[in-house]
């Protein structure tokens, strides 16, 4: 619990929607561009690993379509956070540091406080909030390539900018802040659920 919100303490790693329907696992093993061609929910693990310890640590990557599917990506009583809920979280962690680009200091209070999972230097990380952000990297929407595991975590929201571009949050090993950004609906990113 952080402020008035309760967040999951780990990156999501479900392979089925709340109603039991399976979410397609799109590996793109023969054609990595297949990932970006999806117009429905899909998941993958980073570099399609089957290592259960890796998946347990970093979670899975989901495209934005999974986040808004009416069948529910998060368990009952939880949901993918809105842009406004992300802003409320980061403003609670680092009050007065929020602008249109994110929050200049909240990332340090959200990152796991060592270099066990984060690449060096993991600047300003103290995990004072207990959020324990982990750097699961992401999957590019266009070429389907995996990028920056151990260097960044990118989280989905359920909110669109200009009715087209999903709004997300990014935390990096190099900075104290958490950046607000937009991306393609096909980008594979981590999910943290928030309690209803």
């Amino acid at each position: 619990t952080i402020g008035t919100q309760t967040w999951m303490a780990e990156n999501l790693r479900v392979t089925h929607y709340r109603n039991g329907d399976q979410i397609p696992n799109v590996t793109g093993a023969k054609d990595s561009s297949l990932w970006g061609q999806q117009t429905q929910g899909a998941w993958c693990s980073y570099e399609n690993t089957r290592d259960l310890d890796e998946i347990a640590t970093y979670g899975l990557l989901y495209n934005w379509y999974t986040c808004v599917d009416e069948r529910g990506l998060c368990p009952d009583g939880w949901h993918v956070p809105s842009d406004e809920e992300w802003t409320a979280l980061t403003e609670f962690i680092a009050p007065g540091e929020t602008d249109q680009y994110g929050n200049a200091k909240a990332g340090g209070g959200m990152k796991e406080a060592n270099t066990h999972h984060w690449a060096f230097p993991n600047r300003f990380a103290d995990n004072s909030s207990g959020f324990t952000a982990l750097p699961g990297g992401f999957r590019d929407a266009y070429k389907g390539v995996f990028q920056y595991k151990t260097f960044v975590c990118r989280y989905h929201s359920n909110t669109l900018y200009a009715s087209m571009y999903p709004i997300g949050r990014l935390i990096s090993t190099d900075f104290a802040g958490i950046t607000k950004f937009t991306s393609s609906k096909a980008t594979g990113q981590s999910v943290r659920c928030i309690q209803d």
Side-chain angles (χ1 to χ4, degrees), residues 29-151:
K30 295 183 180 179
D31 180 0
S32 60
S33 68
L34 286 175
W35 174 261
Q37 296 171 24
Q38 302 304 305
T39 57
Q40 63 176 353
W43 70 269
C44 62
S45 57
Y46 193 89
E47 293 184 342
N48 297 311
T49 184
R50 294 185 180 185
D51 185 313
L52 296 180
D53 289 336
E54 287 284 300
I55 293 170
T57 298
Y58 297 103
L60 297 173
L61 303 175
Y62 302 89
N63 66 19
W64 186 78
Y65 299 104
T66 58
C67 297
V68 294
D69 193 289
E70 62 184 15
R71 292 170 287 184
L73 177 61
C74 296
D76 191 34
W78 300 79
H79 63 273
V80 176
S82 67
D83 175 50
E84 292 78 12
E85 287 172 321
W86 275 113
T87 298
L89 170 69
T90 59
E91 182 63 15
F92 179 83
I93 295 169
E97 298 292 337
T98 301
D99 62 19
Q100 62 183 332
Y101 305 109
N103 184 295
K105 294 184 178 178
M110 296 170 71
K111 293 189 283 184
E112 183 184 61
N114 52 54
T115 53
H116 184 66
H117 297 110
W118 283 93
F120 182 83
N122 200 19
R123 289 192 174 101
F124 308 103
D126 63 17
N127 198 30
S128 57
S129 69
F131 188 87
T132 317
L134 291 171
F138 66 97
R139 191 171 192 179
D140 179 79
Y142 304 102
K143 296 181 180 178
V145 296
F146 297 94
Q147 297 181 296
Y148 300 116
K149 181 180 172 187
T150 75
F151 289 91

